[in-house]
Amino acid sequence: MQVFLQTLVGGLSLGAVYALVALGFALVYRTMGLVNFAHADVLMIGAYVASTFTMSEHLPFAVAVIAAIVITGLIGLVIERMLRPLEGKDFDLMLIGTIGFGIVLEALATLIWGATGRAVPSPVSSGPLHFLGASIPTYDLVVVGIAVAAMVALTLFLERTRHGIAMQAVAMDYDAASAAGINVGRSNAIAFAIGAGLAALAGALVGPLLYVSPSMGGTIGVDGFAAAILGGFGSIPGAVIGGVVMGLLSSFSAGHFHGYSDLVTFIVFAALVMIRPTGVFGERTVSRA
């Protein structure tokens, strides 16, 4: 029972991070019909920025995370602005452009912070909580709480604000939204900025759990991408469900299959996708290919 509880909380913590990554993928895909392959590297930049502000500048963790979100949000705006001339003209070049931005960001991180990476201390100084004999790291619960708060805030933005409703309209029907006078370019820019901010939040949260390095975005990005597929690419609730499933799957696989955990995770993921190729919440989204 103790092992089960600890694995469950660890899986939920990891799943919360995957869900944030998947939400970033889903937002950009819903508005532009584009998979942003630079997303994982934006996460890595967010992790480095947050860790630098906490370890070198000794800023409070919350301030460092906000700074990372702002900086990566600006990176998202730059990516969208650079890709905007290609929108509706050359979809393949837009995809290649996001891959290129990812390569540039990884090279930039290596240049600034080096290739060796860094271990980030936990921002929570209190000891683990004890429940039913299980020892649960406090930081895991903090990660889940922050991720849930971010998801609620994103949902309220999409459902209750003018810009959020405009983004929903663009996702549902690009031509109709454009004809109705919605500024599609601005909607896309907001989607990129929020997606990058979510990636930065995920990177900042996962830094103390894993190891911050220029290549860290690869593994987390793949799992976040898988979470988005599992939930139904482009679906906001699907990204959350997919992230939680992938987190639990990774955690329990690591606990029971050790060296084969990645293989087991992939096999189960492949089986789930074969059963339901469109994901849990597969839905109609924008396609401008």
Side-chain angles (χ1 to χ4, degrees):
M1 187 62 180
Q2 296 96 323
V3 174
F4 174 80
L5 277 176
Q6 289 177 195
T7 307
L8 176 66
V9 174
L12 290 175
S13 175
L14 202 55
V17 172
Y18 291 158
L20 291 174
V21 179
L23 280 171
F25 277 119
L27 267 183
V28 173
Y29 185 76
R30 281 176 68 86
T31 52
M32 295 185 70
L34 173 71
V35 178
N36 178 16
F37 285 108
H39 193 60
D41 293 294
V42 174
L43 177 150
M44 174 269 297
I45 293 292
Y48 263 119
V49 171
S51 64
T52 298
F53 279 125
T54 53
M55 297 173 67
S56 301
E57 304 300 327
H58 306 292
L59 292 178
F61 183 67
V63 176
V65 171
I66 292 172
I69 291 173
V70 172
I71 290 173
T72 55
L74 293 174
I75 292 174
L77 290 176
V78 170
I79 295 174
E80 190 278 333
R81 190 62 188 171
M82 296 292 285
L83 296 178
R84 187 178 294 183
L86 298 173
E87 188 183 359
K89 297 177 181 176
D90 197 323
F91 192 78
D92 292 337
L93 273 182
M94 290 178 70
L95 284 178
I96 294 171
T98 63
I99 295 172
F101 271 110
I103 295 172
V104 169
L105 290 176
E106 187 169 335
L108 192 62
T110 304
L111 188 66
I112 297 174
W113 291 290
T116 54
R118 61 174 58 163
V120 180
S122 172
V124 179
S125 57
S126 58
L129 299 178
H130 299 284
F131 180 70
L132 295 178
S135 180
I136 299 173
T138 307
Y139 184 65
D140 282 359
L141 300 177
V142 171
V143 170
V144 173
I146 292 175
V148 169
M151 294 170 198
V152 171
L154 176 63
T155 302
L156 291 175
F157 170 79
L158 291 175
E159 301 291 339
R160 303 289 178 86
T161 68
R162 185 164 58 88
H163 290 307
I165 293 172
M167 288 172 60
Q168 300 272 48
V170 173
M172 292 174 66
D173 194 321
Y174 171 85
D175 293 326
S178 182
I182 293 176
N183 189 329
V184 176
R186 181 188 298 165
S187 178
N188 292 341
I190 293 173
F192 258 94
I194 295 177
L198 289 170
L201 179 59
L205 291 176
V206 82
L209 294 174
L210 303 176
Y211 192 75
V212 176
S213 71
S215 60
M216 68 176 292
T219 305
I220 302 173
V222 168
D223 287 333
F225 189 70
I229 293 174
L230 200 59
F233 218 102
S235 167
I236 300 300
V240 177
I241 298 297
V244 172
V245 171
M246 284 300 298
L248 292 175
L249 190 56
S250 298
S251 183
F252 280 98
S253 296
H256 291 84
F257 299 100
H258 303 291
Y260 302 97
S261 61
D262 289 340
L263 177 63
V264 172
T265 300
F266 173 76
I267 291 174
V268 175
F269 165 75
L272 292 173
V273 171
M274 288 177 68
I275 294 170
R276 189 171 174 79
T278 59
V280 178
F281 291 97
E283 59 183 55
R284 177 177 176 272
T285 54
V286 174
S287 176
R288 303 182 204 174

